[in-house]
Each structure stands twice: as C-alpha cells, then as structure tokens.
Amino acid sequence: MNMATPDQDSLFAAAGQPVVKIFGVGNAGVILLGALDRSEFAGARFVAVNTDPASLAVSEAPVKIHLENKLLRGLGSGGDAERGRAIAEEQFSTLKSACDGANVVFIVAGLGGGAGSGISPVLARAAHEAGAIVLAFVMLPFDCEGNRREQQARQSLDQIKSAADGVICLPSQHIFKLIDENTSLIETFRVTGGLLLEGMRGVWQLLTRPGLIQVHFSDVCALVRDRHAENAFAFVEAVGPGRAREVVEKILAHPLLDEGRVLAESEAVLVSLTAGKDLSMAEVNRVMEQVKRQCVHAQIIMGAAVDLTARDKLSVAIIAAKQGVKKTEEHTHTTTRSSHAPPPNSSSTRESSSVSRSLRAHKPNKLVQSQLSLTIVSKGRFDKSEPTIHHGEDLDVPTFLRRGVGMN
Amino acid sequence: MFDDSNIVVGLEIGTSKICVVVGEQTAEGAVNIIGLGQSPSNGVRKGEICDTEKVEQEVRAAVFEAEQMADVEIRSVYLGVTGGHVRGFNNRGMHPVVSADREISEDDVKDVIKNAKAINLPAENTVVHAVRQHFFVDGHDGVTNPVGMLGARLEVDMHVIHGHANRLQNAIRLVRATQLEVDEIVFTGIASSLALLTPDQKELGALVIDIGGGTTEYVVYSDGVIKHSGVLAVGSDHVSNDLAYGLKVPLSRAEKLKREYGSAFVTDEARGQQISITNDLGLALKSVNVEHLQRIMSLRLEEIFEIIAHEMEKAGLSDYLRAGVFLCGGGSRVTGLEKLAERVFQMTVTRGHSTTLGGITAALDQPEFATSIGLVKYGSLKNRQRPPRPGFSSGLRSAVGKFFQRA
C-alpha cells in the first residue's frame, strides 16, 4: 500500500491545512469515490475499502484496502452487514493505520448492503481512535429496496452516529421530491450520489478555500464534535443579478431541509457562501439575515469564500446539526465496549441498539435508564385498556411517577 | 295505569355505577323525579363497556330497582354515552340566500344547518349531537332566529360532538338486549350540564366538569349555547389506581383509603401521619403515610384540571366563564376539590346541584346523579318538541300559548 508519507502530511499540517482522507466504503462508496473530482479535492487522500474484489479492481483510488478472509471466499459480504462488520473488526488494525496522520476522515458509503453498513461503523471508530475527526456521508436505501436493507441501514446509521463525530445522512427516498416521474434509474442514482458529493464538496470547500470570512477548521470541529447528531445539508446555487434572493428561496424550499423546518429545529448551522470576485457584502448580509431568521435557536457559523472560476454564480452550502446530545463519557464507554466484542452476538447488538435509541430520544443516558424502568410500571387496572395519551404522555401512569415526585 | 308518554327515563352506564332515573313530566312541562335505581358497575373501563354480559345484568338490576321505586314499567330510555373517543368541535356552515327579495326563509335555515353538519369525519365516526350556536346574517353576529330577516349570506355555527360509531353502537345494542328501547343517545357531559346549569348561568358562561369513575367530561356554555366540549379518559379510577401503586395496597383498599382519608390538598394534620391497615381480623398489615396518599391524589386531580384549563385557554374561552366552574360526578366528592380547582382555574368553583328539576331531593343533591338526572331533563325537553298527541294536548296548548305571548 502506498500510504502518503508522514512528511507530506506534516507539511500540510504545518501549512494550516488539515490532512483529509476520504474513504469510500462498499460498492456504492467506491463508486462515489470514483465520481469525485480529483482536481477539486486536491490534497485529499482517497482510499477505497471493500470486500468485493471486482469493485476494487475498477476503482482508480490510489489506496485500496481489500478486506478478505476465508469465510467470504472472494465473493464479498453477500449483503450481510454482520459479516462485513465481523471482518472489519478482524482487520481493525489495518483500518486504523490507514487513518493515521489524518486530521479529518470522510467516510462515504451507501448503507443497506453488507460492506457499507458493516464496515463503516468500525472504520469510523478506527479513525476516531487514530485521532481524526470523522465525518460520515451516507445514503439510506430507497424504501423499495426492502425491509432487510432498511433495517441494516438504520442499525448501521445508529452505530455510525455513535462512533463518528458527524453524520450527514441522505435518505434516498427524499430524492423523489427532486426528480420527476420519468427520470431513469441511472439518472436517479446519479442525482442521489451527486447530492451526497455536493455535501462533501461544501464541507471540503469550507475547509480548504481561502475565505474572505474564513471558516476555520476548528469551527467545523466545534460544530460537529461533541454533538453526535444527524446533520442535514443543502447545497444551492444561483446565477445572475437576483442571485442572493434566489438562493434564499431555494434554501427555504429545499426538500432535504424539509422546506426550512430543519433549520428551525437545528442547534448549530454552518453556512458557507462561495462566489466570484464580485460577491458583495449586501448579498452575504441578505442570505445570512434570512438564514438567521429561520434558525432561532441555532448557533450560526458562517464563511464566505471567493472562487475565481465561479463567475457570477453564488453557491451556498448549509450544514445544520439537529438538536443532539452532548457526547458523554459514559456513552462512548458503552459504545466501545459493545462494538469491541469480536463476533457480534445478539446481546452486543442489543446493547448498541439501546445506546442508539437513547441517542434518538435526545436524552442523556441516565434519564433513559429511569425511563426504562418506568415502562415496566404496571398500569394496574388500566394495563389492558387503550392507553390515554395526552400530548405524548400516558395518563394511565400515575401522575406522581411521571412528574418524578418521590414517595418514601 | 297512567299513560307512559309522560315518563322519561335516563340510563347512564358509568364506570363505577349504573344508574337509572325515572322522571315524570307534568302537564305544564315540569319534571319530577319519581324513581331511582342503581347498581355497581364492573364491566366498564374508562366509560366504555368491556364485559357485555356483566353490564347487561347490572343494567337489568338497576332498571328493576327504578321500576319498583317509581311504580312504572320502563320501556325506553335516554342513554348517556361517553368515552375517550368522543370529541367536540365547532363548525361553520354557509348558505347564500338566493331568493329575489333576499328574505331568509325556513328552507334557507334548513340548508345552512345541513351545510354546517356536512363535515369531514373519519369514516368510522358518527355525529352524536350537532348543536346550533348562532346565526350570522351577512357577517352580523348574534342572530338567534334569522327567518324573515333580509340578507345575502346566511351562516351558522354548530357545535358537533362525534364519536366512534362501533363503540357507541355497543352501548345501544346492550340496552336493546335488555328489551329496552333507546330513545336517543346523549353525551353525558351535556346531560350533566343540563342538570346543573340554570339558563342564567348558561348565558353568563360556565364550565361544567363531570369527574366520573373512568372519564372526565367537560362542557362549556357561553351566551346560552354550547361552545366547547370534550372527554378526558381519566377519572377517579385513576386516582385509586395511583394510590394502589404508590402506597402498594390492593385496589379495593386504595378505594377505601381514598374515601376515608382522601383530600385534594395535603392537609396540615396529615403531615407525618401514619395509619395502619388492618385485615378482617384486626391484625395490622402495614402502615400507610397519609401525607403521601394525599399528595398522590392531589397531583392527579390537579393534572386533570390543568389539562382542562389548558384546553380552555387554547379554545380562548377562559375569559368567558363568568359564572365560573361547576363540578359534579362522584369524583367531585373529594374534600377540598373546589379549592384546588379554584387555584388552577383562577375563578369561582361551585360543587353543582341538580337545580333544574323537582322531586326526590335526596337524589338531586348527590353529585354522581347529575348525569342521569340531566338525561331525564334532556328527554323532557325532547318530549316537549314532539308532535301533539292525544292526552298531551294540555301541555302543548300551554306551550303554544307561551309562544304567542312572546311573539
């Protein structure tokens, strides 16, 4: 393997530029990696990781990691995430050394299959342990791909969320809002992949472009670190004199931002504007004012950069971190323990899924436990009757329990 | 035997008891309560029947008792219905007046009411009541009878109470199985408010809260019409259940403790007070902290009021309840409940009495009979509207007389 030399990495680091490694995991990930424009991502290391030798053979990535053992017999993971996961655990040290020296690791994967869903969480953990910030860009399968893939994807997403610093997740199903009925399958996949890559490009530009208003690497870290959340992103462009207004309109109508609703719920928003030399302060102001109005509770980080090739195009990338939990010590502990168990047995999966459930519930671990005990509370004579739910509270459960009034 | 057309019977199948009230309508239209029958209810949860056989027997027993007392044969009843599925909301219907002279006719009124009733309900739901509130003629508020007025646009506000058809049907079928006819089903909340409120209070604005065994109904009157209604599937059963859970005693014991020591507030003498529970032989089983008991109760009851108060605020009715809040139902017997309600609602709270009918005063004073009495009242109002019948003409004549006096 021709890994980048440590000297080069340190040179980049000295120049104030983060060392970025981009991992394409699984079939979809490798294809997406191939679709990335090398020249645009100059300075980044590309690594393809897969269990399927055929997919790696066509990949142009300079570094390829083929995860293989006898069990797979050269046939790939066969769509089984557990297998992908087991083999990744086995080769944990390889993955970790591949991440060495990187400040930022991007993981690109399509979830639902064997390799992408199985390896990505392990890779995220390996990168994290190697000291890098881990951003995962993942796609969820279409609804029509079936239950099993959806389940695997969901489970994997939860695991990635607990291992990576930030997850940018694109549910493919949302694409239907963007395409019309007659779009061909190939085109659909291209659009889906394109959206994900746009998100990556947005982050990349943030990190590398010399900005008028610079977004520092540390800002991005602050946004994604300790915030274990699902991020939503949008990338919009507009050309011409009314471009600022147009961009704002597009943001507010963007399907991936749920027509702006996501912004209202998010607690941190990163906005990056890129345009040609003629980018005016008034335009920046106009866009930011609208964004600010949308996200009342959010901490906003903004950046503006000049791209000489952009001419009169204004592009805005928005990453919104939804209200998430602060990553607690306790929490990482559990995750590591659960995912360290070499052959994933049922108990470990249950444990990790309970952790992820706690994440989704947006509640610190401690509270979740007390809540678990609450659900065991017998509702006495109302046990079998239809529950009386009022504003999400089950009124059949004694009031003093729900309000946490102690009786002793 | 006398003609049974002047006998009105209300039947309430409640969560804690089944109650039959027999009323006799005098020639002048006034109603006297002449019979009362009740039996404990074991087959109902949260106001809905869950054991038909048991309930059927209990209904028979209650009806028999009432028949004995009133010395009449009960053939048909006004049946009270409730349950968490029953909901009320306001709807407005519109109708353009098309006649050449723009005079609003009876047909226009019929049409506009029909329009107001045409609402989007879930397929499995059915309308229990559609109560007319006010007419608007060309946007002018407060018209009670628009016939003969001039206008281009006639609108009407209706309060529609609807519920799950199958579940409502269950109660009706059960009553029919006991060889009784159901004259009409009535939302118990409306029945209670009919029994409790005088026309003045309805005009001023009042909130009636009926805390039953399994459900709590609330109805708001303002300007003489129903403005809001609803059911909360939480009642005094929940209080007992909370106590059973919190004090770790059986449900029957919790029920007893509730009656004996219950309070809507933690009273001063209860602080630190322990009582020991004894079994039938007088042996001490365990001791219970009265302070805890009262706190558990207080929290639950306060929550019920808070939910309703919040509902009032949401509907924008809090400022219209000038006559205050009226409590009834068995659950309103808790000591200090008015004070608790006063604190939550910030207005005068009265424990309601069934003031609108005459007869056995002992029955009228019990808050738990308000619904059944209200059912009789409802029935008597409906009876008055019925087409003339021989033997009933004197009552009718007086009604017609009154009408002409007013006109």
Side-chain angles (χ1 to χ4, degrees):
Chain A
M1 276 179 267
N2 53 344
M3 305 288 292
T5 58
D7 301 345
Q8 218 180 334
D9 283 350
S10 55
L11 267 179
F12 269 106
Q17 277 224 8
V19 177
V20 181
K21 287 187 178 175
I22 306 179
F23 286 79
V25 184
N27 286 347
V30 171
I31 293 170
L32 284 172
L33 196 67
L36 279 179
D37 186 354
R38 288 294 157 76
S39 59
E40 207 168 349
F41 287 84
R45 311 292 135 68
F46 289 68
V47 187
V49 185
N50 205 351
T51 52
D52 183 5
S55 126
L56 284 177
V58 291
S59 165
E60 289 171 8
V63 185
K64 300 174 186 178
I65 302 176
H66 183 206
L67 297 176
E68 172 62 63
N69 69 4
K70 275 181 200 156
L71 272 174
L72 300 186
R73 295 190 199 88
L75 292 171
S77 57
D80 186 352
E82 285 305 332
R83 252 191 256 174
R85 190 181 143 95
I87 191 162
E89 292 283 1
E90 226 177 274
Q91 315 243 353
F92 190 75
S93 55
T94 320
L95 293 175
K96 194 173 163 185
S97 65
C99 303
D100 269 343
N103 297 111
V104 181
V105 166
F106 288 178
I107 298 174
V108 191
L111 299 184
S117 322
I119 298 170
S120 303
V122 183
L123 177 63
R125 208 175 71 238
H128 197 79
E129 281 182 24
I133 292 211
V134 187
L135 272 176
F137 297 82
V138 295
M139 287 195 289
L140 295 181
F142 286 98
D143 284 356
C144 59
E145 288 181 57
N147 273 350
R148 184 183 138 88
R149 284 177 76 86
E150 194 185 319
Q151 241 169 33
Q152 281 192 5
R154 286 274 162 216
Q155 204 174 4
S156 173
L157 180 64
D158 288 338
Q159 288 165 359
I160 295 173
K161 268 191 215 166
S162 56
D165 291 285
V167 178
I168 290 180
C169 165
L170 175 69
S172 298
Q173 199 66 24
H174 278 199
I175 293 304
F176 283 118
K177 295 181 195 161
L178 291 178
I179 56 175
D180 65 14
E181 259 174 50
N182 302 323
T183 316
S184 71
L185 202 59
I186 299 172
E187 177 69 13
T188 309
F189 284 140
R190 209 184 56 73
V191 171
T192 326
L195 265 177
L196 199 68
L197 295 182
E198 266 176 11
M200 278 183 75
R201 201 159 66 214
V203 177
W204 173 260
Q205 283 179 355
L206 280 178
L207 291 178
T208 55
R209 282 280 155 71
L212 296 173
I213 304 167
Q214 181 97 29
V215 174
H216 267 286
F217 181 52
S218 54
D219 291 336
V220 180
C221 296
L223 184 78
V224 295
R225 210 192 267 286
D226 291 342
R227 215 175 236 132
H228 264 270
E230 194 176 328
N231 296 305
F233 72 92
F235 187 82
V236 293
E237 288 179 337
V239 195
R243 60 189 188 178
R245 192 172 38 80
E246 206 177 317
V247 156
V248 169
E249 273 168 17
K250 277 185 180 170
I251 291 173
L252 297 185
H254 205 285
L256 295 181
L257 292 178
D258 251 346
E259 278 131 27
R261 244 167 288 149
V262 169
L263 290 180
E265 289 169 8
S266 51
E267 73 167 17
V269 176
L270 195 150
V271 188
S272 154
L273 299 99
T274 314
K277 260 187 185 166
D278 56 342
L279 176 65
S280 69
M281 192 62 211
E283 283 173 324
V284 176
N285 194 34
R286 178 170 235 164
V287 174
M288 290 313 293
E289 204 173 290
Q290 288 302 319
V291 172
K292 224 181 250 171
R293 195 173 295 168
Q294 290 302 314
C295 22
V296 195
H297 314 290
Q299 164 201 355
I300 300 178
I301 301 172
M302 75 139 326
V306 167
D307 182 358
L308 293 178
T309 58
R311 291 172 194 280
D312 62 346
K313 188 168 71 181
L314 172 67
S315 48
V316 177
I318 289 192
I319 301 178
K322 271 196 208 167
Q323 275 159 4
V325 228
K326 297 266 177 196
K327 192 160 94 187
T328 54
E329 279 302 307
E330 212 177 349
H331 167 71
T332 16
H333 189 67
T334 344
T335 332
T336 339
R337 186 156 37 86
S338 72
S339 40
H340 255 311
N345 52 25
S346 61
S347 75
S348 80
T349 17
R350 207 178 308 136
E351 194 177 17
S352 59
S353 70
S354 80
V355 167
S356 51
R357 211 176 303 133
S358 76
L359 269 174
R360 234 177 300 145
H362 298 311
K363 275 180 189 145
N365 260 7
K366 231 178 176 177
L367 206 85
V368 169
Q369 270 186 358
S370 63
Q371 213 181 28
L372 273 178
S373 64
L374 259 185
T375 53
I376 306 167
V377 166
S378 147
K379 294 192 283 177
R381 76 180 324 185
F382 305 111
D383 234 359
K384 291 192 180 66
S385 67
E386 185 189 19
T388 308
I389 308 290
H390 184 265
H391 290 302
E393 266 187 301
D394 188 347
L395 295 183
D396 292 340
V397 174
T399 317
F400 74 96
L401 281 181
R402 273 181 283 125
R403 302 213 170 156
V405 179
M407 303 277 161
N408 36 30
Chain B
M1 262 334 261
F2 41 75
D3 178 22
D4 74 342
S5 64
N6 57 352
I7 292 293
V8 185
V9 182
L11 165 63
E12 190 207 0
I13 303 176
T15 310
S16 58
K17 62 161 188 357
I18 289 163
C19 182
V20 178
V21 170
V22 183
E24 185 191 15
Q25 203 162 9
T26 62
E28 286 75 37
V31 184
N32 281 319
I33 304 295
I34 55 167
L36 181 74
Q38 53 172 331
S39 92
S41 166
N42 292 305
V44 181
R45 286 279 171 277
K46 294 187 189 171
E48 291 175 63
I49 295 157
C50 61
D51 185 337
T52 43
E53 212 165 302
K54 252 188 211 164
V55 175
E56 211 180 298
Q57 279 173 9
E58 289 155 359
V59 168
R60 277 181 210 281
V63 169
F64 179 72
E65 198 183 311
E67 279 178 338
Q68 291 288 306
M69 186 166 171
D71 196 21
V72 291
E73 189 190 348
I74 295 174
R75 289 192 197 152
S76 64
V77 295
Y78 283 86
L79 175 64
V81 290
T82 183
H85 58 96
V86 178
R87 287 204 168 81
F89 72 96
N90 294 324
N91 193 43
R92 180 172 293 188
M94 214 275 284
H95 177 72
V97 181
V98 286
S99 57
D101 54 358
R102 297 275 177 229
E103 188 184 322
I104 297 165
S105 66
E106 295 270 4
D107 288 341
D108 289 326
V109 174
K110 267 184 206 155
D111 278 343
V112 73
I113 290 174
K114 205 173 78 193
N115 288 347
K117 281 184 187 173
I119 40 171
N120 268 333
L121 284 183
E124 68 273 15
N125 277 27
T126 177
V127 173
V128 182
H129 297 282
V131 192
R132 193 191 312 165
Q133 294 174 335
H134 285 295
F135 288 100
F136 294 81
V137 178
D138 290 344
H140 283 286
D141 196 353
V143 180
T144 40
N145 190 358
V147 175
M149 292 172 92
L150 299 184
R153 198 179 71 220
L154 179 63
E155 287 168 290
V156 69
D157 271 346
M158 301 276 270
H159 185 74
V160 181
I161 299 174
H162 63 99
H164 198 282
N166 285 350
R167 298 196 196 169
L168 294 171
Q169 207 72 41
N170 282 342
I172 299 175
R173 283 170 59 95
L174 186 141
V175 174
R176 291 225 172 108
T178 61
Q179 311 303 320
L180 289 174
E181 271 308 308
V182 177
D183 288 319
E184 214 170 305
I185 56 170
V186 185
F187 172 51
T188 53
I190 290 190
S192 304
S193 55
L194 278 179
L196 255 53
L197 298 182
T198 61
D200 282 346
Q201 287 161 340
K202 287 179 190 170
E203 202 64 44
L204 273 172
L207 163 64
V208 176
I209 302 177
D210 182 342
I211 307 175
T215 54
T216 299
E217 290 91 20
Y218 51 93
V219 171
V220 179
Y221 269 90
S222 174
D223 297 334
V225 294
I226 298 173
K227 289 280 179 185
H228 194 75
S229 66
V231 182
L232 187 66
V234 177
S236 37
D237 256 10
H238 285 78
V239 177
S240 308
N241 191 51
D242 289 3
L243 290 177
Y245 184 86
L247 305 175
K248 299 183 183 67
V249 293
L251 202 63
S252 56
R253 178 67 73 171
E255 190 85 41
K256 236 185 234 170
L257 286 170
K258 177 178 80 177
R259 280 160 203 262
E260 229 166 294
Y261 300 96
S263 163
F265 285 102
V266 179
T267 50
D268 284 334
E269 62 262 34
R271 292 194 197 279
Q273 190 195 346
Q274 296 274 343
I275 42 164
S276 55
I277 300 178
T278 54
N279 65 3
D280 297 342
L281 302 170
L283 293 169
L285 292 176
K286 68 175 290 184
S287 69
V288 166
N289 189 328
V290 183
E291 190 182 340
H292 289 171
L293 181 148
Q294 296 185 343
R295 177 154 303 138
I296 291 171
M297 280 185 80
S298 164
L299 282 167
R300 171 64 84 177
L301 293 167
E302 193 180 1
E303 184 184 52
I304 295 176
F305 288 142
E306 274 169 359
I307 289 172
I308 296 174
H310 182 72
E311 190 74 22
M312 290 304 113
E313 216 150 280
K314 236 174 39 188
L317 290 168
S318 306
D319 297 333
Y320 292 93
L321 308 174
R322 280 165 293 170
V325 180
F326 294 82
L327 302 178
C328 64
S332 69
R333 284 179 170 273
V334 178
T335 344
L337 195 69
E338 300 107 307
K339 254 185 166 174
L340 180 75
E342 257 164 33
R343 206 179 63 190
V344 176
F345 288 101
Q346 301 286 324
M347 56 182 88
T348 46
V349 177
T350 326
R351 216 172 287 218
H353 296 282
S354 311
T355 47
T356 52
L357 299 180
I360 314 164
T361 42
L364 299 179
D365 272 345
Q366 312 295 321
E368 50 268 71
F369 296 128
T371 304
S372 314
I373 292 168
L375 286 170
V376 172
K377 170 94 179 167
Y378 183 94
S380 70
L381 292 175
K382 284 280 153 170
N383 257 353
R384 249 189 278 180
Q385 290 165 6
R386 274 188 196 165
R389 272 200 225 168
F392 196 49
S393 53
S394 59
L396 191 83
R397 205 180 304 136
S398 73
V400 171
K402 257 185 214 159
F403 180 77
F404 279 115
Q405 258 175 2
R406 233 178 30 188

